[in-house]
Amino acid sequence: MTQTEQAPDRQISGAELRLENVVKRYPGQKVAAVDSLSLTIPAGEIVAFVGPSGCGKTTSLKMLNRLIEPTSGTILLDGKDISQESATSLRRKIGYVIQGGSLFPHLTVAANVAVVPKMLGWDKKRITERTDELLDLVGLDPDRYRDRYPRELSGGQQQRVGVARGLAADPPVILMDEPFGAVDPITRQRLQDELISIQRELRKTIVCVTHDIDEAIKLGDRILILQEGARIAQYDTPDAILAAPANDFVADFVGAGSTLKQLSLARVRSLDLRHPTTARVGDDTGPAVRQAEEAGDDAIVVIDSRDRPVAWPWLRQVRHHDTVQSSPRENLVTLDEAATLNDALDTMLTAAHSKVIVTGDRDKYLGVLDFETVTEHMRKTEREAVEHQHELEEQEQEAVSADG
């Protein structure tokens, strides 16, 4: 099920992109880098461009905002030929996020986010409000981060600021070139979750280049798998590509058919969550501890005034204070409800609780997922797959008998 299908009531703010026989041929090269690429990227969806190194995926992406000019062909944004306006004007309508965030080191976080709105002549009040709104959206407390410089941020934090900057002028289209490639695996997973959560709310048109098929499966409403010359090997939903790869190239590239790869499609939201004891920041610890003891919980999920989880202390830690304490939200590892079961298992293996807190829109607390629930789901999925295979074999045998 795609992200778009998850939120039919949310208004789409993205715009359709259409490529018609787009070619990019560099001087002196016999083979075109991109050869007659034609496809439609629907408004409000995430489309992942993926393929082997040198297949033309980044070249194709950069032609969408004319960082690279096509040799021939037509690219339409919301039905209008992008070659009919200046490249500068076009780029102000298309957000661009690259690996590492590519922040200006001499500007504060707030000033980095405000670059395009300032170019567009927004007034200071509007820029400040938009900056704070976006920092909050990408999980950075504006009061803590707006006046910091890039050198004071971790790689993951810099990438979040890069995403906020890409969204700053509320463009209909966001282009992302290997956006999470330069961070550690846990941070990468959290940033992917953040992007899915943001997209659930904003419904932009997002084109994301990645070399990682697992990332493409997780993020993409659709996946474009390219061969050399940006020739389309398959363009379809993750479910369809895994279930029915178009040819041997696609099957080899995605490793289709493996149970583990299919788990990349299973989302946390499809499982039942536990609901252990919760308490709000500032509550008296006595009632919270008694409630946890009666429920058999050894820890308490602490939420703030906006229902966001901020801490997950053990009872022995809670007892040391008269009131329930908070901590910086980014220190707490959580999973978005759209995270994959692979992500859930990875997170649990490194977590102190062997469980993980699950969040929804704007990081709202939804519950806790435990290891037993995930493994039981995996066993059930495997049993169903085996049963389905047996049914197919029986049907084939019956068909052969009937023919005989």
Side-chain angles (χ1 to χ4, degrees), residues 386-403:
V386 170
E387 290 169 3
H388 180 63
Q389 186 61 36
H390 286 162
E391 289 174 4
L392 292 177
E393 290 170 358
E394 288 174 2
Q395 289 170 7
E396 287 176 5
Q397 289 173 359
E398 289 171 2
V400 170
S401 299
D403 290 342

Side-chain angles (χ1 to χ4, degrees), residues 168-380:
D170 200 25
V173 174
I174 311 288
L175 307 181
M176 308 184 88
D177 191 0
E178 296 279 6
F180 311 135
V183 295
D184 64 89
I186 294 295
T187 302
R188 180 179 185 141
Q189 172 249 305
R190 293 181 73 174
L191 290 169
Q192 291 167 347
D193 286 357
E194 200 83 49
L195 177 63
I196 291 170
S197 180
I198 290 168
Q199 176 66 351
R200 199 164 53 229
E201 186 167 334
L202 300 183
R203 300 285 297 282
K204 299 293 181 184
T205 301
I206 299 176
V207 184
C208 180
V209 163
T210 175
H211 67 277
D212 183 352
I213 185 62
D214 291 318
E215 181 165 76
I217 289 168
K218 177 176 179 178
L219 295 179
D221 292 300
R222 299 168 196 260
I223 300 175
L224 175 69
I225 300 179
L226 295 173
Q227 295 176 259
E228 186 179 352
R231 288 180 294 114
I232 297 176
Q234 191 164 0
Y235 181 43
D236 214 327
T237 64
D239 308 62
I241 288 172
L242 285 178
N247 51 39
D248 289 344
F249 174 84
V250 175
D252 291 341
F253 190 78
V254 304
S258 81
T259 305
L260 285 177
K261 192 69 72 175
Q262 294 288 342
L263 272 179
S264 299
L265 295 173
R267 304 289 173 164
V268 166
R269 61 173 164 251
S270 65
L271 276 62
D272 292 331
L273 301 181
R274 310 279 187 202
H275 298 283
T277 303
T278 60
R280 291 193 181 276
V281 177
D283 283 354
D284 291 340
T285 56
V289 169
R290 284 193 296 275
Q291 183 183 344
E293 289 172 340
E294 290 170 4
D297 296 329
D298 54 9
I300 290 175
V301 178
V302 179
I303 56 178
D304 66 11
S305 59
R306 291 169 53 185
D307 292 333
R308 302 175 301 181
V310 293
W312 199 3
W314 301 103
L315 280 188
R316 64 177 182 273
Q317 297 170 309
V318 177
R319 292 189 184 99
H320 291 162
H321 303 278
D322 293 330
T323 58
V324 175
Q325 302 296 299
S326 179
S327 63
R329 229 171 16 101
E330 59 266 26
N331 293 345
L332 181 65
V333 176
T334 62
L335 276 184
D336 187 84
E337 62 176 333
T340 68
L341 298 195
N342 282 341
D343 291 335
L345 287 173
D346 285 344
T347 303
M348 288 178 195
L349 288 171
T350 59
H353 294 272
S354 298
K355 305 169 189 171
V356 64
I357 290 174
V358 179
T359 58
D361 290 352
R362 296 280 179 140
D363 293 325
K364 184 177 180 179
Y365 172 70
L366 297 179
V368 168
L369 183 65
D370 60 27
F371 185 76
E372 292 75 20
T373 301
V374 175
T375 52
E376 176 53 36
H377 178 86
M378 292 168 64
R379 283 192 289 267
K380 180 183 175 186

Side-chain angles (χ1 to χ4, degrees), residues 18-191:
R18 196 159 80 247
L19 290 77
E20 298 176 347
N21 299 312
V22 174
V23 175
K24 180 59 187 180
R25 192 181 301 277
Y26 290 103
Q29 291 190 350
K30 293 182 179 179
V31 179
V34 175
D35 192 5
S36 298
L37 180 61
S38 297
L39 74 149
T40 297
I41 298 168
E45 291 193 7
I46 298 179
V47 172
F49 285 13
V50 67
S53 181
C55 71
K57 53 187 182 290
T58 294
T59 300
S60 300
L61 181 88
K62 288 183 175 180
M63 286 193 287
L64 298 177
N65 66 353
R66 293 177 57 194
L67 282 175
I68 293 176
E69 294 285 354
T71 304
S72 62
T74 305
I75 300 174
L76 302 165
L77 172 59
D78 205 17
K80 299 174 183 174
D81 187 341
I82 65 170
S83 67
Q84 299 305 304
E85 66 177 305
S86 72
T88 301
S89 172
L90 175 70
R91 288 174 200 149
R92 288 175 181 173
K93 295 190 294 188
I94 297 179
Y96 189 49
V97 182
I98 63 175
Q99 190 174 113
S102 190
L103 305 179
F104 297 111
H106 61 289
L107 296 180
T108 64
V109 163
N112 265 285
V113 174
V115 167
V116 175
K118 284 185 75 173
M119 288 180 180
L120 294 174
W122 291 18
D123 62 61
K124 284 186 177 181
K125 182 175 182 292
R126 185 182 177 194
I127 289 175
T128 299
E129 289 174 351
R130 179 64 173 164
T131 299
D132 285 358
E133 176 191 8
L134 287 171
L135 289 177
D136 183 67
L137 186 67
V138 301
L140 296 174
D141 181 352
D143 291 335
R144 290 190 65 197
Y145 289 99
R146 72 166 72 89
D147 296 323
R148 293 190 182 182
Y149 286 88
R151 65 178 178 274
E152 301 174 276
L153 306 178
S154 68
Q157 290 166 345
Q158 289 183 31
Q159 195 63 63
R160 287 169 190 265
V161 176
V163 171
R165 186 174 65 183
L167 291 165
D170 200 25
V173 174
I174 311 288
L175 307 181
M176 308 184 88
D177 191 0
E178 296 279 6
F180 311 135
V183 295
D184 64 89
I186 294 295
T187 302
R188 180 179 185 141
Q189 172 249 305
R190 293 181 73 174
L191 290 169

